[in-house]
Amino acid sequence: MKKKLYQCVPQDLKWKEDKMIIQSQFKKENDEICYLLGFNNYIIITKVMKVFQPQDLQQQPKKYIHLDFDIKFEILRENQVKQGDEDDSLGQIKGISLIKDLGNETITYKKYLGGEKIIKQWREYLSNRINQWQFHQMFKVYKKIGKGNFASVYLAQKIEDQKKMAIKAFSKQAAYAEEQGKEAIVNELKIMRQLNHAHIMQMHEVYETSNSLYVALELLEGGSLYDLIKEKTLLSTTQIQQIMVGVLQGLHHMHQKKIMHRDLKLENILFKQQKQMDSVVIADFGLATKVDEPVYLYYRCGTPGYVAPEVINIKDVQGHYSEVCDIFSLGLVFYLLLSGKQAFPGKSYGTVVKQNREAVIDFKIKQLQQAPSQALDLMKKMLERDPNKRVSATDCLKHPFLAEMNNQMADDFVNDSFDEIDEIGEVALRMNALNEETIKFDAFRRNAILNSPGSPGILDTKQLKQQKVIDSLNQLQMNSPLLNGKTDTFDSIPNIGTPKNKQCQNGFQQSPMIKHSQFKKSIPLQQQNQDNPLQKYSQQQKN
């Protein structure tokens, strides 16, 4: 049975009070004129004359579309005569189609015809709320750059504007079959659509076909913080400040929207460009959630060794905690960057979990003895066990250890870094003292490298491998599509022309309890050729 796209406007819909975001006149296929009024999460359809405010409507509208996960849109174009197999040009935009995806049932759709400028405005409005139907004709795909047991990631270029992106593709059937699979996808898309910041990985668009989902993400070419540590890169104190400020500015943006990440660790801190620490971004929002959700999708989650104590110790499924859980996780990363040691250095999964639960941290290890006093002060405040006493992202950016770097990297963060002081000279004295400590600490770490392979500031290879084992045995949650979507290997973007056959860093089977971003998920190998032009395009590039 064919189901309708529209619903009757419910009596409790306060459309006259809600803010209207966009409105336009369209022509339907039968040449009838209609008007669409776009609000935050629904569209009203009316036949009356164009209005400027909802209250100007002469009568109660009868039809509306609630913009939930089952509603998609597609850009309609004029038919284009191809000049050959290599011709990827697109026809002129002529309209937009709204679609209701009912799975195995009939798809219902309506076409609205209008000028290209209007359609592009509606595309921008809809892209921030729902997925776009179809994918194949919109992208030129060059190469698979990442893969895992269930995941495939491709380097692609959008034909319309030639913009390069990373496309993560996965099977809807496989994802939805997992426990809370669809809910996890809806949650992550909703979270990422609310975020727009230089230090947060950007999600450009989301496309769907009947079988697959394609997520177009910002192409990050600088690798991860894990990669840097694995390569034994010694980061200077200034570089550590850049990383910390960038991540904190991203967290500040998230926390203002009452969103918490809940899985900050080395692998989820990435860089836009190689060797540019100020290009740092936060990635992987598979565990992110709103602080005020009545019940969290996953209430106890994350990676042992990086989890805030209030999260790892929570026992009530309906319990809550706040966004400062991310500050604790980042504090553990900070500890590792400065000392080269993990705050919870257990050699087994059980030991690390126990240490993480107790959250007793040794700040007197020899690797931190010559660390700048301001750095230690900030670290202790970030690693405060009591979340009610822990500093916020805003407080961290104002802290003397990071304030000057925050000034240099200021984006949308309104900076009032220092508290009011009587004499401006006190600021200069404070900064000079910090610079002197920083110089001594960097020299201490450089000298240590020359004398010992397991030096301060460089995480020992055995420790790093051990943490990967801990990651693989993470027992904090039950199975979900976020686990199976993990991408185990990823080629270096600058070496895109040189295929690599990398072995998975982690030889252990993932526990059914760990959570990773849904968008590391992809099409199982046996399904990839059914509804996936990416394989075809990749093969063409090789030939």
Side-chain angles (χ1 to χ4, degrees), residues 183-185 187-189 191-192 260-263 268 283-289 297-298 301 480-483 515-520:
E183 292 87 343
I185 292 172
N187 177 71
E188 188 166 359
L189 287 175
I191 291 290
M192 293 197 73
M260 47 189 176
H261 186 279
R262 299 196 299 174
D263 198 23
N268 294 337
D284 195 338
F285 292 86
L287 288 179
T289 186
L297 185 58
Y298 311 113
C301 58
S480 87
L482 308 183
L483 158 67
K515 288 292 179 301
H516 291 283
S517 171
Q518 176 63 53
F519 305 132
K520 291 181 180 177

Side-chain angles (χ1 to χ4, degrees), residues 90-102:
L90 302 171
Q92 183 176 351
I93 291 175
K94 68 175 184 178
I96 195 166
S97 180
L98 294 173
I99 301 163
K100 190 174 183 67
D101 179 13
L102 300 170

Side-chain angles (χ1 to χ4, degrees), residues 259-271:
I259 293 171
M260 47 189 176
H261 186 279
R262 299 196 299 174
D263 198 23
L264 277 179
K265 56 183 178 179
L266 299 180
E267 294 90 333
N268 294 337
I269 298 174
L270 309 181
F271 300 93

Side-chain angles (χ1 to χ4, degrees), residues 103-164:
N104 296 328
E105 300 180 54
T106 305
I107 293 175
T108 303
Y109 65 91
K110 292 289 183 180
K111 294 181 179 180
Y112 300 96
L113 307 179
E116 182 171 339
K117 182 178 179 181
I118 290 175
I119 299 303
K120 286 184 175 180
Q121 290 172 348
W122 274 83
R123 177 174 63 184
E124 182 178 357
Y125 158 75
L126 290 169
S127 293
N128 290 327
R129 291 162 176 81
I130 58 176
N131 300 345
Q132 188 165 337
W133 195 249
Q134 296 304 335
F135 167 86
H136 308 333
Q137 71 273 27
M138 298 299 298
F139 285 86
K140 186 183 296 183
V141 181
Y142 292 105
K143 180 190 174 185
K144 181 185 287 188
I145 56 176
K147 65 178 181 179
N149 291 335
F150 293 90
S152 291
V153 185
Y154 298 85
L155 171 66
Q157 188 173 43
K158 192 173 181 180
I159 294 171
E160 187 175 35
D161 57 13
Q162 305 301 304
K163 188 170 187 175
K164 289 186 178 179

Side-chain angles (χ1 to χ4, degrees), residues 237 372 434-446:
T237 305
L434 177 58
N435 290 338
E436 289 179 7
E437 289 183 304
T438 296
I439 291 169
K440 290 179 181 178
F441 186 56
D442 287 347
F444 163 70
R445 291 192 296 167
R446 282 195 298 271

Side-chain angles (χ1 to χ4, degrees), residues 300 309 312-313 315 352-359 385:
R300 188 192 302 124
I312 199 170
N313 290 318
K315 303 197 185 312
V352 171
V353 171
K354 182 175 183 297
Q355 292 174 342
N356 202 158
R357 286 185 183 278
E358 295 170 352
R385 194 179 190 280

Side-chain angles (χ1 to χ4, degrees), residues 23-288:
Q23 62 170 314
S24 300
Q25 174 183 308
F26 291 95
K27 183 185 291 187
K28 295 198 287 190
E29 289 182 284
N30 60 2
D31 288 336
E32 183 180 331
I33 299 296
C34 69
Y35 301 90
L36 301 187
L37 313 180
F39 297 81
N40 185 42
N41 56 12
Y42 61 90
I43 296 172
I44 283 180
I45 301 96
T46 179
K47 295 180 181 180
V48 301
M49 294 179 60
K50 184 175 180 180
V51 296
F52 293 95
Q53 294 297 331
Q55 55 266 30
D56 295 335
L57 285 176
Q58 298 298 317
Q59 57 187 20
Q60 172 82 6
K62 297 180 180 179
K63 298 178 180 178
Y64 97 124
I65 302 173
H66 181 62
L67 297 177
D68 57 29
F69 191 72
D70 293 330
I71 302 297
K72 327 291 178 187
F73 76 98
E74 182 176 6
I75 299 300
L76 305 176
R77 296 176 180 271
E78 300 285 356
N79 291 330
Q80 181 83 359
V81 178
K82 302 294 184 181
Q83 302 301 316
D85 292 339
E86 300 300 318
D87 184 3
D88 287 314
S89 58
L90 302 171
Q92 183 176 351
I93 291 175
K94 68 175 184 178
I96 195 166
S97 180
L98 294 173
I99 301 163
K100 190 174 183 67
D101 179 13
L102 300 170
N104 296 328
E105 300 180 54
T106 305
I107 293 175
T108 303
Y109 65 91
K110 292 289 183 180
K111 294 181 179 180
Y112 300 96
L113 307 179
E116 182 171 339
K117 182 178 179 181
I118 290 175
I119 299 303
K120 286 184 175 180
Q121 290 172 348
W122 274 83
R123 177 174 63 184
E124 182 178 357
Y125 158 75
L126 290 169
S127 293
N128 290 327
R129 291 162 176 81
I130 58 176
N131 300 345
Q132 188 165 337
W133 195 249
Q134 296 304 335
F135 167 86
H136 308 333
Q137 71 273 27
M138 298 299 298
F139 285 86
K140 186 183 296 183
V141 181
Y142 292 105
K143 180 190 174 185
K144 181 185 287 188
I145 56 176
K147 65 178 181 179
N149 291 335
F150 293 90
S152 291
V153 185
Y154 298 85
L155 171 66
Q157 188 173 43
K158 192 173 181 180
I159 294 171
E160 187 175 35
D161 57 13
Q162 305 301 304
K163 188 170 187 175
K164 289 186 178 179
M165 302 179 186
I167 302 294
K168 294 190 176 183
F170 61 89
S171 164
K172 292 195 291 187
Q173 181 180 4
Y176 295 173
E178 300 284 351
E179 182 180 355
Q180 295 182 307
K182 190 170 183 178
E183 292 87 343
I185 292 172
V186 173
N187 177 71
E188 188 166 359
L189 287 175
K190 182 179 179 181
I191 291 290
M192 293 197 73
R193 283 182 169 126
Q194 295 178 61
L195 302 175
N196 181 23
H197 191 274
H199 294 294
I200 294 176
M201 183 177 69
Q202 184 179 0
M203 182 179 74
H204 296 294
E205 297 172 293
V206 184
Y207 293 82
E208 280 194 57
T209 64
S210 297
N211 300 321
S212 305
L213 192 146
Y214 303 93
V215 184
L217 296 167
E218 180 179 7
L219 190 62
L220 304 175
E221 304 180 70
S224 69
L225 187 53
Y226 172 81
D227 296 330
L228 289 180
I229 301 301
K230 182 180 67 175
E231 294 164 4
K232 294 194 174 227
T233 302
L234 176 63
L235 297 171
S236 69
T237 305
T238 298
Q239 290 175 316
I240 292 172
Q241 288 172 317
Q242 290 176 325
I243 293 170
M244 292 294 294
V245 167
V247 175
L248 283 164
Q249 286 184 358
L251 287 179
H252 172 76
H253 176 76
M254 291 174 57
H255 293 174
Q256 278 191 317
K257 297 175 180 290
K258 305 302 289 183
I259 293 171
M260 47 189 176
H261 186 279
R262 299 196 299 174
D263 198 23
L264 277 179
K265 56 183 178 179
L266 299 180
E267 294 90 333
N268 294 337
I269 298 174
L270 309 181
F271 300 93
K272 295 182 182 181
Q273 290 93 34
Q274 287 188 324
K275 299 180 180 179
Q276 294 187 24
M277 302 303 106
D278 59 354
S279 70
V280 66
V281 297
I282 302 169
D284 195 338
F285 292 86
L287 288 179

